[in-house]
């Protein structure tokens, strides 16, 4: 049991709507990713994103995947609900690969997905909360590109990156079936 209110807790003092469990450090035991804190299998803090997002940052969501083909292993992408930062980390070590600022606050619905041909996954997201005001996008290396959809997800819509067509890719499909303009 871990309490972020305990004196000396080195993790982030806020949690996430999305808690992910995976073996990030390759020791055969799962770690817990809860917002800007990654807990080792024994409950100790493995690493945090506190330096980039602050010690009391509410992370609305996160993605664990092989996003960056130039970084061996998995990456963890997270995004702020109470701010406009999103970042990509080496999941094993917590090394920051890049941090970016979206054009607005309350980031939501960020995913890692194939939009462009070639290696790596693209990052897509919206800002403005449950009623998005705009979208943003970048490649695995942090290079920006135009948000590729004509419409934004509606309140309650979720965007999922899955292998919808069976080609072992991360294809985007929302509950209202967005299609890229690119």
């Amino acid at each position: 049991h871990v309490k972020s209110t305990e004196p000396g807790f080195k993790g982030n003092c806020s949690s996430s709507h999305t808690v992910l469990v995976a073996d990030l450090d390759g020791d055969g035991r799962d770690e817990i990713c809860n917002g800007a804190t990654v807990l080792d299998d024994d409950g100790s803090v493995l690493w945090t994103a506190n330096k980039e997002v602050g010690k009391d940052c509410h992370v609305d969501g996160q993605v664990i995947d092989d996003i960056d083909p130039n970084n061996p292993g998995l990456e963890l992408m997270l995004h702020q609900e109470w701010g406009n930062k999103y970042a990509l980390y080496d999941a094993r070590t917590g090394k920051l690969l890049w941090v970016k600022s979206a054009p607005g606050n309350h980031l939501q619905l960020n995913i890692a997905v194939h939009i462009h041909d070639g290696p790596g996954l693209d990052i897509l997201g919206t800002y403005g909360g449950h009623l998005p005001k705009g979208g943003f996008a970048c490649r695995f290396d942090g290079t920006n590109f135009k948000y590729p959809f004509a419409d934004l997800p509606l309140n309650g819509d979720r965007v999922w990156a899955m292998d919808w067509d069976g080609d072992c890719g991360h294809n985007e499909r929302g509950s209202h079936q967005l299609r890229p303009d690119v």
Side-chain angles (χ1 to χ4, degrees):
H1 184 76
V2 176
K3 291 177 82 174
S4 64
T5 56
E6 290 290 322
F9 179 69
K10 294 186 181 358
N12 201 277
C13 293
S14 187
S15 63
S16 176
H17 294 301
T18 308
V19 176
L20 301 176
V21 179
D23 181 10
L24 300 180
D25 61 7
D27 66 0
R29 295 182 300 273
D30 288 340
E31 282 66 50
I32 298 171
C33 302
N34 184 9
T37 301
V38 175
L39 297 172
D40 209 347
D41 59 272
D42 64 1
S44 65
V45 175
L46 184 62
W47 62 268
T48 75
N50 289 352
K51 182 176 179 184
E52 292 76 38
V53 298
K55 188 163 173 49
D56 189 26
C57 171
H58 177 66
V59 170
D60 203 33
Q62 49 196 344
V63 174
I64 298 172
D65 209 323
D66 187 9
I67 297 168
D68 182 346
N70 300 322
N71 186 63
L74 298 172
E75 290 79 38
L76 173 67
M77 186 273 298
L78 58 84
H79 60 279
Q80 290 180 310
E81 179 173 295
W82 299 338
N84 71 339
K85 290 184 182 175
Y86 60 111
L88 188 68
Y89 296 87
D90 177 277
R92 176 186 297 259
T93 66
K95 175 186 171 193
L96 176 67
L97 300 176
W98 51 258
V99 63
K100 298 183 67 72
S101 296
N105 290 330
H106 195 159
L107 307 187
Q108 200 150 18
L109 305 176
N110 288 21
I111 59 172
V113 63
H114 279 292
I115 295 293
H116 292 97
D117 289 334
L121 297 176
D122 301 303
I123 305 295
L124 304 180
T126 63
Y127 58 89
H130 299 275
L131 299 172
K133 299 193 179 9
F136 57 93
C138 72
R139 300 278 295 135
F140 66 86
D141 61 2
T143 304
N144 290 335
F145 66 92
K146 182 181 175 211
Y147 187 76
F149 301 114
D151 297 316
L152 293 170
L154 302 175
N155 188 26
D157 282 350
R158 291 295 178 247
V159 179
W160 305 103
M162 301 176 85
D163 186 15
W164 294 99
D165 59 7
D167 70 352
C168 299
H170 293 72
N171 314 109
E172 184 282 327
R173 194 163 293 192
S175 62
H176 57 289
Q177 311 252 341
L178 293 173
R179 298 287 182 223
D181 291 338
V182 293

